[in-house]
Structure formats: C-alpha cells, structure tokens
Amino acid sequence: MILEELAIAVETGDMKKVQALIPQGLADGVDPQDLLDKGLLAGMAALGARFKAGEVFVPEVLIAARALNAGTVLLKDKLVAGQSVSKGKVVIATVSGDLHDIGKNLVLMMLESTGFEVIDLGVDVPVEAVVEAVRENKPDILAMSALLTTTMAFQKDIVEALKVAGLRDGLKIMIGGAPVTQDFCDNIGADSYSPDAPGAADAALALLS
Ligand code: B1M
C-alpha cells in the first residue's frame, strides 16, 4: 500500500508526500530497497511510459525527478552501509549534452556503499572536463552515464581523448545508462558495462580485483 502511494507521489511530483512516506515506510519496517525499487523507481517508470506516449511533458518529469531525488536522499543512509577503508577512487559523470542524473546518482550511492571514494562531476560534463578531472584526481575508475542515444557517443569520445592525453593506461572505464549495451562497451574500448546500479558496484570491485 505504502509502496503504491509512494509510486503515485513520485508520478504526480508530490515531493512533500514522498518526504513523509519514506520515514513512515522505514518506521513500519518496509525494506529500504523496496521503497526505492517498488516505490520511487516504479513511479518514475510509470511516468516515463506516459512521457514516451506524449501524455506528459518535460516539466512534469522534472518535478517528478525532484520528488524522486528527495526520496533517495532520505534513503541514502539506509542503503549505504558505512565503509571506513576506501576500495578505490572513482570519478563519475553524466556525459556532455545529457541532463539525466537519477541513474548516475544511484550508481554513485551503490559505489559509496561498497566502499569507493566517489568524485561526482555532475551532468552535461564536456569531454575535456572529464579528461581534466582524470588528470587531476588520478582515479582508479572513470564511470560514465548516458541516457540518450544522441549522447552515448560522447563515452567513445572520452575514451579516445583519454588515450590522446596519455591517461588511458592504468585507468579502468565503466559505462552505463539505458541505451548503452555490452556490444557498445566492447566497440568503444571501455572496460565494463553494467545494466544497473548494483551491477555497477560489483563491476567496480571486479575491475580492481
Ligand atoms: Co528524458 N528521456 N529527456 N528526461 N527521460 C528518457 C531517457 C527517454 C527514454 C524517454 C522516452 O522518450 N521514452 C528519452 C530518450 C530517448 C533516447 O535517446 N533513446 C528521453 C528524452 C528524449 C529526453 C529529452 C530529449 C526530452 C525533450 O526535451 N524533448 C530531454 C533531454 C534533456 C537532456 O538530457 N539534454 C529529456 C529530459 C528529461 C528530464 C530533464 C525532464 C528528466 C531528467 C531529470 C533528471 O535526471 N534529473 C528526464 C527523465 C526523468 C527521463 C525518464 C522518464 C526517466 C529516466 C530515469 O531517471 N530513469 C526516461 C524514460 C525512462 O527511462 N523510462 C527519459 C530511472 C533511472 C534509475 O534509470 O537512468 O536508466 P536509468 O539508470 C539505471 C541504469 O540505466 C543504470 O543504472 C541505473 C539504476 O539501475 N545506469 C548505469 C545508469 N548509469 C549507469 C552507469 C553505469 C552503470 C549503470 O556505470 C558507470
């Protein structure tokens, strides 16, 4: 029941309701993962279908995204088990031209919960800014997210730019996002593709093992 209410609150962009339902769900003993998957993300999936069908537009989706993000903030401590020793450093970004950050933020949360130190460059990050962040921070892993078929190609540009800058050797590159596939990963010479956030955390561990 509360999961359905939560999904509807996201779908209708009711941030206050989301912020009330998450603590209520946690107090009632609902699994935090269910609050995320069957509540918050289910609401966004339902809205996404209506967005695709042309029934709702960007403003509605933005308001829903804000409500969803407010919910994930309240869940973060429950989903992220504190780790004291860093498993490695990750730089993460959504690529140039792409404003979608919900998936990236979930990957970030899962990486932190697995013990990685994560530097978040945000969304719409130009190729040169990613290269510069790798040069400055010397991460073990670069993680890139792209949600649009028109922006996923920037993941390839970044792999190439890192090679030109002499920064590719010793760096592991992970990619993901709805249109991204294992084939695409192989084609652009990235090291790992994962379809979801828990998979990304497992992949990061595997890359450094
Ligand atoms: Co946009 N959008 N959007 N949108 N949006 C999609 C992606 C779309 C599929 C909707 C549709 O038409 N069906 C479509 C893309 C079509 C395509 O290219 N194939 C689309 C479009 C077209 C657009 C605009 C162009 C619309 C317009 O303006 N006319 C525009 C582009 C803006 C831009 O980026 N320049 C646009 C805008 C927006 C909003 C700003 C309104 C908003 C984003 C708000 C925000 O993120 N803060 C938005 C949203 C919310 C969506 C949908 C509805 C939901 C995306 C989402 O957050 N899903 C989406 C439709 C849909 O997916 N049903 C849609 C939940 C999230 C948890 O999933 O991000 O896939 P996802 O992340 C998953 C995995 O992919 C994976 O793990 C995550 C968790 O398990 N993953 C990784 C992600 N990154 C990873 C990295 C990894 C590993 C795994 O390793 C590093």
Side-chain angles (χ1 to χ4, degrees):
M1 181 61 187
I2 194 164
L3 296 175
E4 280 163 31
E5 276 185 67
L6 195 52
I8 291 167
V10 169
E11 198 178 340
T12 54
D14 191 340
M15 185 162 87
K16 286 211 161 66
K17 188 119 192 228
V18 168
Q19 287 171 323
L21 287 170
I22 295 276
Q24 189 186 321
L26 291 171
D28 289 353
V30 182
D31 185 339
Q33 195 65 49
D34 283 346
L35 290 169
L36 176 66
D37 293 339
K38 299 179 185 167
L40 298 175
L41 294 182
M44 183 53 86
L47 189 69
R50 292 171 59 206
F51 185 42
K52 189 174 184 184
E55 292 168 15
V56 294
F57 301 97
V58 169
E60 286 94 330
V61 182
L62 264 181
I63 293 166
R66 210 169 300 150
L68 192 159
N69 278 329
T72 55
V73 166
L74 294 175
L75 279 178
K76 188 174 177 196
D77 289 348
K78 305 291 168 193
L79 295 169
V80 173
Q83 299 270 344
S84 50
V85 182
S86 173
K87 294 236 165 56
K89 196 192 279 183
V90 181
V91 163
I92 193 165
T94 298
V95 297
S96 185
D98 201 321
L99 300 174
H100 298 84
D101 69 353
I102 297 171
K104 169 187 71 66
N105 292 343
L106 287 175
V107 171
L108 190 160
M109 268 171 58
M110 289 309 300
L111 287 170
E112 284 186 342
S113 79
T114 313
F116 287 93
E117 178 195 346
V118 187
I119 298 163
D120 183 11
L121 305 182
V123 297
D124 187 14
V125 186
V127 175
E128 309 74 45
V130 175
V131 172
E132 214 33 59
V134 168
R135 195 192 306 281
E136 257 178 43
N137 297 291
K138 301 180 181 51
D140 303 291
I141 297 176
L142 170 65
M144 296 186 275
S145 182
L147 263 284
L148 299 170
T149 43
T150 48
T151 59
M152 59 193 275
F154 285 113
Q155 294 178 325
K156 179 176 196 282
D157 294 351
I158 290 167
V159 174
E160 294 305 322
L162 287 165
K163 281 186 199 160
V164 171
L167 296 167
R168 178 68 179 95
D169 290 347
L171 175 71
K172 300 293 183 190
I173 301 181
M174 293 171 49
I175 61 170
V180 178
T181 61
Q182 183 63 51
D183 271 357
F184 181 73
C185 174
D186 297 340
N187 285 335
I188 70 169
D191 298 303
S192 173
Y193 157 76
S194 332
D196 55 33
D202 290 344
L205 284 175
L207 283 173
L208 299 188
S209 68

